[in-house]
């Protein structure tokens, strides 16, 4: 029997959040945390969480499992369970909508701020804008982000200033467009980032790197942005 | 772009650079001081005030004081913006910090050139 303790909160009926205990019989199998959530939902239909692809592609089921953020669907019990206990909480730092479902508004607002689309005013060629294989390689480790928010919600700098600090996810994408040879808005992008909060609130703690389910490295991208800012300054 | 009015350099980039350069200067100054004290075990007043009457030592010390002032401002400004959310409280604390840094800096200069 696996003992699961899960964060419950329904703002309409509960005056405060509380932890609910579940006993789940996994029949000794090493299933994913998301499977355990399904079993719990069979016991209590009211339990709310997000999921869609259930294979680590959509980024919907980011949550805090025994103190560490990750995707429930690709996290096997053997990786997180300690002493037969599992504690599930919503991603830290964002407002809770219900149980494990958080309001990602601030996270998306920061993503929107870095203008996550290619900007190029030269007329497009007949077929497509070409890029050398070397230039294309620069986007590896950047474009794979699925915006699950595991990184930003494990970042203390994002907890304190989610309205001003772009956060690791947004900054990884900021660099994805700064590094793209087809993008022409480099100067404008950098100008938007040089204040004391947007990039520089990063303290290099690397919580983001340690939780990213896609194995990406936002801290390195942030370092690259800093280098570009420095190179562009006088 | 997030607007800032009480940060030291008004820009994240310059604050970041100032923080690194001042840390370097402070590290060199500290190493020098520790080294000096280690190599002069029987230090007396005459030697100590002799050291601080040399112009290069005064320049070096003033550089370290100014670095400390800048470093403290940038660092404490960051701490206040992390933890003090009510604007009035934050600005008040920032002003106290800046004032204290100013007083200590002038006082330091007076000590350096006074004796
Ligand atoms: S390295 Fe920077 S962005 Fe990543 S968790 Fe630490 S402070 Fe946040
Ligand atoms: S960088 Fe990693 S942890 Fe952060 S949002 Fe993207 S995929 Fe998720
Ligand atoms: S359900 Fe899609 S990433 Fe987990």
């Amino acid at each position: 029997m696996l003992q699961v303790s899960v964060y419950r909160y329904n703002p309409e009926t509960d005056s405060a959040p509380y932890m609910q205990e579940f006993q789940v019989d996994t029949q000794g199998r090493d299933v994913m945390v998301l499977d355990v959530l399904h079993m719990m939902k069979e016991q209590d239909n009211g339990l709310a969480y997000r999921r869609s692809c259930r294979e680590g592609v959509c980024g919907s089921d980011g949550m805090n499992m025994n103190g560490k953020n990750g995707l429930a669907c690709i996290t096997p019990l053997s990786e997180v369970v300690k002493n037969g206990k599992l504690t599930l909480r919503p991603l830290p730092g964002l407002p809770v909508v219900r149980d494990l479902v958080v309001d990602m508004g601030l996270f998306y607002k920061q993503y929107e701020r870095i203008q996550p689309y290619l900007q190029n005013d030269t007329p497009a060629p007949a077929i497509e804008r070409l890029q050398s294989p070397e230039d294309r390689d620069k986007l590896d480790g950047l474009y794979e982000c699925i915006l699950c928010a595991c990184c930003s919600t494990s970042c203390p700098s994002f907890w304190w200033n989610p309205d001003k600090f772009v956060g690791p996810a947004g900054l990884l994408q900021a660099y994805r467009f700064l590094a793209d040879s087809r993008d022409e808005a480099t100067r404008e992008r950098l100008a938007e980032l040089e204040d004391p909060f947007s990039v520089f609130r990063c303290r290099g703690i690397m919580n983001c790197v340690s939780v990213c389910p896609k194995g990406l490295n936002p801290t390195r991208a942030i370092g690259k942005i800093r280098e570009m800012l420095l190179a562009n300054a006088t | 772009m997030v607007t800032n009015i009480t940060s030291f350099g008004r820009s994240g980039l310059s604050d970041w650079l100032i923080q690194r350069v001042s840390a370097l200067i402070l590290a060199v100054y500290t190493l020098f001081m520790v080294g000096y004290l280690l190599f002069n075990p029987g230090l007396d007043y005459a030697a100590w005030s002799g050291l601080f009457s040399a112009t290069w030592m005064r320049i070096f010390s003033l550089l370290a004081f100014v670095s400390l002032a800048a470093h403290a401002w940038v660092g404490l400004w960051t701490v206040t913006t992390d933890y003090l959310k009510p604007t009035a409280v934050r600005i008040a604390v920032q002003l106290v910090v800046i004032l204290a840094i100013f007083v200590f800096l002038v006082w330091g200069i007076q000590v350096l050139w006074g004796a």
Side-chain angles (χ1 to χ4, degrees), chain A residues 180-201:
Chain A
D180 196 316
S181 61
R182 300 162 299 180
D183 190 275
E184 288 181 336
T186 308
R187 281 195 156 273
E188 294 77 6
R189 291 179 185 280
L190 287 175
E192 274 299 307
L193 295 173
E194 65 94 60
D195 63 88
F197 282 98
S198 305
V199 172
F200 287 97
R201 200 37 70 110

Short mmCIF file of all heavy atoms in Angstrom, two decimals, chain A residues 180-201:
data_model
loop_
_atom_site.label_atom_id
_atom_site.label_comp_id
_atom_site.label_asym_id
_atom_site.label_seq_id
_atom_site.Cartn_x
_atom_site.Cartn_y
_atom_site.Cartn_z
N ASP A 180 18.37 32.94 -32.81
CA ASP A 180 17.89 32.51 -34.12
C ASP A 180 18.43 33.44 -35.22
O ASP A 180 18.16 34.64 -35.21
CB ASP A 180 16.35 32.51 -34.13
CG ASP A 180 15.81 31.73 -35.31
OD1 ASP A 180 16.34 31.90 -36.43
OD2 ASP A 180 14.87 30.96 -35.12
N SER A 181 19.17 32.87 -36.16
CA SER A 181 19.79 33.69 -37.21
C SER A 181 18.75 34.39 -38.08
O SER A 181 19.05 35.36 -38.76
CB SER A 181 20.67 32.81 -38.09
OG SER A 181 19.88 31.80 -38.71
N ARG A 182 17.51 33.92 -38.05
CA ARG A 182 16.48 34.53 -38.91
C ARG A 182 15.77 35.69 -38.23
O ARG A 182 15.00 36.40 -38.86
CB ARG A 182 15.45 33.47 -39.32
CG ARG A 182 16.04 32.32 -40.09
CD ARG A 182 15.12 31.13 -40.08
NE ARG A 182 14.88 30.65 -38.72
CZ ARG A 182 14.11 29.62 -38.41
NH1 ARG A 182 13.48 28.97 -39.35
NH2 ARG A 182 13.96 29.25 -37.15
N ASP A 183 16.02 35.88 -36.94
CA ASP A 183 15.32 36.94 -36.21
C ASP A 183 16.11 38.24 -36.29
O ASP A 183 17.33 38.24 -36.15
CB ASP A 183 15.14 36.53 -34.75
CG ASP A 183 14.22 37.48 -34.00
OD1 ASP A 183 14.71 38.52 -33.51
OD2 ASP A 183 13.02 37.18 -33.92
N GLU A 184 15.41 39.34 -36.53
CA GLU A 184 16.08 40.63 -36.72
C GLU A 184 15.87 41.60 -35.56
O GLU A 184 16.33 42.72 -35.60
CB GLU A 184 15.58 41.29 -38.02
CG GLU A 184 16.10 40.60 -39.27
CD GLU A 184 15.61 41.30 -40.53
OE1 GLU A 184 14.56 41.97 -40.46
OE2 GLU A 184 16.28 41.17 -41.57
N ALA A 185 15.16 41.17 -34.54
CA ALA A 185 14.81 42.11 -33.47
C ALA A 185 15.74 42.03 -32.27
O ALA A 185 15.37 42.42 -31.17
CB ALA A 185 13.37 41.87 -33.03
N THR A 186 16.96 41.55 -32.50
CA THR A 186 17.90 41.32 -31.39
C THR A 186 18.05 42.54 -30.48
O THR A 186 17.93 42.45 -29.26
CB THR A 186 19.28 40.92 -31.94
OG1 THR A 186 19.08 39.84 -32.84
CG2 THR A 186 20.20 40.49 -30.83
N ARG A 187 18.29 43.72 -31.09
CA ARG A 187 18.51 44.92 -30.28
C ARG A 187 17.30 45.26 -29.43
O ARG A 187 17.41 45.54 -28.24
CB ARG A 187 18.83 46.12 -31.19
CG ARG A 187 20.26 46.10 -31.64
CD ARG A 187 20.73 47.42 -32.23
NE ARG A 187 22.19 47.50 -32.10
CZ ARG A 187 22.81 47.96 -31.03
NH1 ARG A 187 22.13 48.42 -30.00
NH2 ARG A 187 24.13 47.98 -30.99
N GLU A 188 16.12 45.23 -30.05
CA GLU A 188 14.90 45.55 -29.32
C GLU A 188 14.67 44.55 -28.19
O GLU A 188 14.27 44.90 -27.09
CB GLU A 188 13.69 45.55 -30.26
CG GLU A 188 13.70 46.64 -31.34
CD GLU A 188 14.65 46.34 -32.51
OE1 GLU A 188 15.23 45.23 -32.54
OE2 GLU A 188 14.83 47.22 -33.36
N ARG A 189 14.93 43.29 -28.49
CA ARG A 189 14.74 42.25 -27.47
C ARG A 189 15.67 42.50 -26.29
O ARG A 189 15.26 42.42 -25.13
CB ARG A 189 15.03 40.86 -28.06
CG ARG A 189 14.00 40.39 -29.07
CD ARG A 189 14.39 39.02 -29.63
NE ARG A 189 13.49 38.58 -30.69
CZ ARG A 189 12.29 38.05 -30.50
NH1 ARG A 189 11.85 37.88 -29.27
NH2 ARG A 189 11.53 37.70 -31.52
N LEU A 190 16.93 42.80 -26.59
CA LEU A 190 17.90 43.02 -25.50
C LEU A 190 17.52 44.25 -24.68
O LEU A 190 17.62 44.24 -23.45
CB LEU A 190 19.32 43.17 -26.08
CG LEU A 190 19.95 41.88 -26.60
CD1 LEU A 190 21.31 42.17 -27.25
CD2 LEU A 190 20.10 40.83 -25.50
N ALA A 191 17.06 45.31 -25.38
CA ALA A 191 16.69 46.54 -24.66
C ALA A 191 15.60 46.27 -23.64
O ALA A 191 15.55 46.87 -22.57
CB ALA A 191 16.26 47.61 -25.66
N GLU A 192 14.71 45.34 -23.97
CA GLU A 192 13.60 45.00 -23.08
C GLU A 192 14.07 44.23 -21.83
O GLU A 192 13.33 44.08 -20.87
CB GLU A 192 12.59 44.12 -23.83
CG GLU A 192 11.58 44.90 -24.61
CD GLU A 192 10.74 45.79 -23.70
OE1 GLU A 192 10.18 45.28 -22.72
OE2 GLU A 192 10.67 47.01 -23.96
N LEU A 193 15.29 43.72 -21.88
CA LEU A 193 15.72 42.80 -20.82
C LEU A 193 16.78 43.35 -19.88
O LEU A 193 17.14 42.68 -18.91
CB LEU A 193 16.27 41.52 -21.47
CG LEU A 193 15.26 40.67 -22.25
CD1 LEU A 193 15.98 39.53 -22.96
CD2 LEU A 193 14.20 40.11 -21.33
N GLU A 194 17.29 44.58 -20.14
CA GLU A 194 18.48 44.97 -19.39
C GLU A 194 18.20 45.59 -18.01
O GLU A 194 19.13 45.91 -17.28
CB GLU A 194 19.41 45.85 -20.24
CG GLU A 194 18.86 47.19 -20.64
CD GLU A 194 19.27 48.27 -19.68
OE1 GLU A 194 20.47 48.51 -19.50
OE2 GLU A 194 18.37 48.90 -19.09
N ASP A 195 16.94 45.74 -17.64
CA ASP A 195 16.63 46.31 -16.33
C ASP A 195 17.04 45.35 -15.20
O ASP A 195 17.41 44.21 -15.46
CB ASP A 195 15.13 46.60 -16.26
CG ASP A 195 14.33 45.32 -16.36
OD1 ASP A 195 14.08 44.70 -15.32
OD2 ASP A 195 13.99 44.92 -17.50
N PRO A 196 16.98 45.81 -13.94
CA PRO A 196 17.47 44.95 -12.84
C PRO A 196 16.60 43.72 -12.55
O PRO A 196 17.00 42.88 -11.75
CB PRO A 196 17.46 45.89 -11.63
CG PRO A 196 17.44 47.26 -12.18
CD PRO A 196 16.71 47.17 -13.48
N PHE A 197 15.43 43.60 -13.15
CA PHE A 197 14.56 42.47 -12.81
C PHE A 197 14.49 41.38 -13.88
O PHE A 197 14.68 40.20 -13.59
CB PHE A 197 13.13 42.96 -12.53
CG PHE A 197 12.96 43.58 -11.19
CD1 PHE A 197 12.99 44.95 -11.04
CD2 PHE A 197 12.79 42.80 -10.06
CE1 PHE A 197 12.85 45.53 -9.79
CE2 PHE A 197 12.65 43.36 -8.80
CZ PHE A 197 12.67 44.73 -8.66
N SER A 198 14.18 41.77 -15.10
CA SER A 198 13.78 40.81 -16.13
C SER A 198 14.74 39.63 -16.26
O SER A 198 14.32 38.47 -16.29
CB SER A 198 13.66 41.52 -17.48
OG SER A 198 12.77 42.60 -17.36
N VAL A 199 16.05 39.92 -16.34
CA VAL A 199 17.05 38.85 -16.44
C VAL A 199 17.88 38.79 -15.17
O VAL A 199 18.13 37.73 -14.63
CB VAL A 199 18.01 39.13 -17.62
CG1 VAL A 199 19.17 38.13 -17.62
CG2 VAL A 199 17.27 39.07 -18.94
N PHE A 200 18.26 39.99 -14.70
CA PHE A 200 19.29 40.04 -13.66
C PHE A 200 18.81 39.61 -12.29
O PHE A 200 19.60 39.52 -11.36
CB PHE A 200 19.92 41.43 -13.62
CG PHE A 200 20.82 41.66 -14.80
CD1 PHE A 200 20.37 42.32 -15.92
CD2 PHE A 200 22.10 41.14 -14.80
CE1 PHE A 200 21.19 42.50 -17.02
CE2 PHE A 200 22.93 41.30 -15.89
CZ PHE A 200 22.48 41.98 -17.01
N ARG A 201 17.53 39.30 -12.13
CA ARG A 201 17.09 38.81 -10.83
C ARG A 201 17.48 37.33 -10.67
O ARG A 201 17.36 36.77 -9.59
CB ARG A 201 15.57 39.04 -10.68
CG ARG A 201 15.07 39.01 -9.27
CD ARG A 201 16.03 39.62 -8.29
NE ARG A 201 16.18 41.06 -8.38
CZ ARG A 201 15.73 41.91 -7.48
NH1 ARG A 201 15.07 41.49 -6.44
NH2 ARG A 201 15.95 43.19 -7.63
#
